[in-house]
Amino acid sequence: MTLTIPFDNSYARLPDGFFARQKPEPVRAPRLVAFNEPLAKILGVSADDVQDLAQIFAGNTVPDGAEPLAQLYSGHQFGHYNPQLGDGRAVLLGETVGTDGVRRDIQLKGSGRTPFSRQGDGRAWLGPVLREYVVSEAMHALGIPTTRALAAVETGEIVLREGPMPGAVLTRVARSHLRVGTFQVFAARGQFDRLRQLTDYAIARHYPDAEGPMGLLRAVRDAQARLIPAWMSVGFIHGVMNTDNCAISGETIDYGPCAFMDSYHPNTVYSSIDRMGRYAYSNQPDIAVWNLAQLATALIQQVEDKEAAVEEATEIVHAMPDLMQQHWLERFRAKIGLSTAEDGDLQLVSDLLTRMAQNQADFTNTFRALPGDKARDQFTDPEAFDSWSVLWRARLQRESASEQTMTAANPAFTPRNHRVEQMIQAAVGGDYDPFHRLSTALLRPYEDQPENVDLTRPPAESEVVQATFCGT
Ligand code: AMP
Ligand code: MG
């Protein structure tokens, strides 16, 4: 009766400079609180003993074939370069190649101190662990590339944050944990052999058709240029788009102070640490370009012919805004039921968004209500919607199947902040029912679920969450 994980590790084969070998630190009394069986199946993980699972996903037992390590990286945090970050509270157990042929990392987050912990305790508390579990799985169900959650355990230990909090460990699964910051650290240190090795590794793992560093840059650009408009189409604000939180794979990574918007405004910020609004909703495309420019700067260091590389990198980065704009428009066209393209579409979408912002319209519910023409109820002045609707209806005349297009592009369910907070509060008090209910509803975000209609409602005034915290 043991858990079997068919490890096939590649990162651990890289030379020592890429990581520090580090076992997870055991915890006192692990208790499994969530296990993602469908994901386990894809990974090839077979499990039949819950006691076993708790021990492994808490880090108390290192499973056969794991080669635990903490990865080195650096990164720009809020625009300032931090020369050394790295996994300060996480260890990579290893990789599996899933039943779908995809290689994925299995990482424990909150698993104790590592050589990269700096002042941190290496731990996580239950709130952020459950938040990441719920929100990353919701993101996956929405069809948006993301890291995933395999398991969550309570550690039976206390961690100190704003006060004493229950400790927890999340098992995170990702196509890899390579970040822009993984490249930056070797570029900044002048370790160009390592930079070359990392580039080859990233190409082989993620973009086998890419040629050389500039080919990799182009591939990452394309993946990021799809990802950010996908976020925006569901009202998602990442909250900490630092270069160490920008994955080369194009997956959403690091669910710290992230949030889904309730009422729409382009300048919305939730993160308590983002005082300047650097990572506000509508700033996300600009930041993605800025992050790509940092990757370009790092990748160029390994190239002999710098002049040509700078020219090519500049062209690649400069093309990103247009590319993102195209994907954005494609997403929002679908949201208003358009499957064909016409010149006035951008104007039509922008006009709707402007009116939504002026009328505190709920982002998710407005789009979801478009087919039935109930969207007007979302506006403080419903006539602001009506006058837009006239133009929209005229445009829809030249469309077929617009209802199906809209239903598939406009989820009914997103993990609303107040629901996430309520779920966390309940779990801290030992009640996991809201966690299970929320997780289950979010598995089918595009379906009407009458029994869960309360989960689609925006927060009452007393429920509004003003700020989200990194406090992991
Ligand atoms: P994040 O903002 O979550 O991406 O984290 C930025 C850096 O801080 C990473 O290097 C983390 O490993 C590190 N870090 C965050 N929380 C802790 C903690 N509790 N203990 C040690 N390192 C941490
Ligand atoms: Mg991070």
Side-chain angles (χ1 to χ4, degrees), residues 40-274:
K41 276 217 180 72
I42 296 169
L43 296 175
V45 173
S46 58
D48 42 20
D49 184 336
V50 169
Q51 201 54 34
D52 233 41
L53 292 181
Q55 293 296 332
I56 285 175
F57 295 124
N60 286 15
T61 309
V62 175
D64 287 345
E67 296 173 270
L69 58 88
Q71 292 180 317
L72 170 67
Y73 54 87
S74 66
H76 279 88
Q77 298 178 303
F78 292 90
H80 301 285
Y81 187 65
N82 189 331
Q84 197 204 286
L85 294 166
D87 290 332
R89 48 154 167 191
V91 293
L92 177 66
L93 289 180
E95 301 145 35
T96 71
V97 178
T99 53
D100 56 0
V102 176
R103 175 179 295 277
R104 293 185 185 83
D105 283 2
I106 301 180
Q107 189 204 60
L108 302 183
K109 189 172 170 187
S111 52
R113 289 180 54 81
T114 78
F116 310 121
S117 295
R118 297 172 294 157
Q119 313 308 324
D121 61 3
R123 292 298 183 191
W125 77 274
L126 186 60
V129 165
L130 295 182
R131 168 183 283 270
E132 176 156 350
Y133 195 105
V134 167
V135 182
S136 67
E137 286 303 304
M139 196 66 105
H140 174 73
L142 286 165
I144 298 175
T146 176
T147 64
R148 301 196 56 190
L150 179 62
V153 292
E154 285 195 34
T155 60
E157 295 179 358
I158 291 295
V159 296
L160 288 175
R161 293 297 181 262
E162 293 92 68
M165 301 291 194
V169 177
L170 178 80
T171 303
R172 176 162 72 181
V173 171
R175 282 183 179 242
S176 85
H177 284 82
L178 299 180
R179 312 136 190 275
V180 169
T182 321
F183 292 82
Q184 287 182 287
V185 72
F186 300 117
R189 291 178 176 184
Q191 296 174 333
F192 301 137
D193 282 344
R194 284 189 185 149
L195 185 59
R196 278 187 198 103
Q197 268 176 306
L198 181 66
T199 303
D200 291 345
Y201 178 86
I203 290 173
R205 186 158 173 182
H206 294 296
Y207 305 107
D209 297 334
E211 276 179 38
M214 293 304 110
L216 176 61
L217 182 66
R218 204 180 288 276
V220 174
R221 176 199 64 187
D222 291 350
Q224 290 285 328
R226 275 177 205 288
L227 178 65
I228 280 72
W231 289 352
M232 301 193 58
S233 75
V234 293
F236 180 73
I237 304 166
H238 182 284
V240 250
M241 290 177 70
N242 293 335
T243 58
D244 60 304
N245 295 336
C246 175
I248 296 305
S249 65
E251 287 182 331
T252 313
I253 190 170
D254 246 316
Y255 292 84
C258 63
F260 283 76
M261 254 191 300
D262 295 305
S263 66
Y264 171 73
H265 197 285
N267 300 340
T268 306
V269 179
Y270 283 97
S271 170
S272 60
I273 53 173
D274 189 5

Side-chain angles (χ1 to χ4, degrees), residues 364-402:
T364 305
N365 292 351
T366 299
F367 284 105
R368 183 70 180 183
L370 281 178
D373 227 359
K374 285 253 166 45
R376 69 190 304 276
D377 301 345
Q378 301 292 327
F379 288 64
T380 47
D381 170 15
E383 283 173 17
F385 175 78
D386 297 339
S387 48
W388 176 80
S389 182
V390 173
L391 306 171
W392 176 50
R393 300 254 158 231
R395 172 67 181 83
L396 280 186
Q397 306 254 294
R398 299 186 291 280
E399 289 284 335
S400 57
S402 56

Side-chain angles (χ1 to χ4, degrees), residues 415-449:
R416 290 182 186 266
N417 238 334
H418 65 296
R419 291 297 182 180
V420 172
E421 288 304 321
Q422 288 164 6
M423 170 278 287
I424 291 170
Q425 292 313 319
V428 168
D431 175 10
Y432 273 86
D433 287 351
F435 169 82
H436 292 297
R437 179 164 181 246
L438 192 58
S439 308
T440 308
L442 290 166
L443 287 176
R444 297 177 292 128
Y446 297 99
E447 289 173 32
D448 289 317
Q449 303 171 39

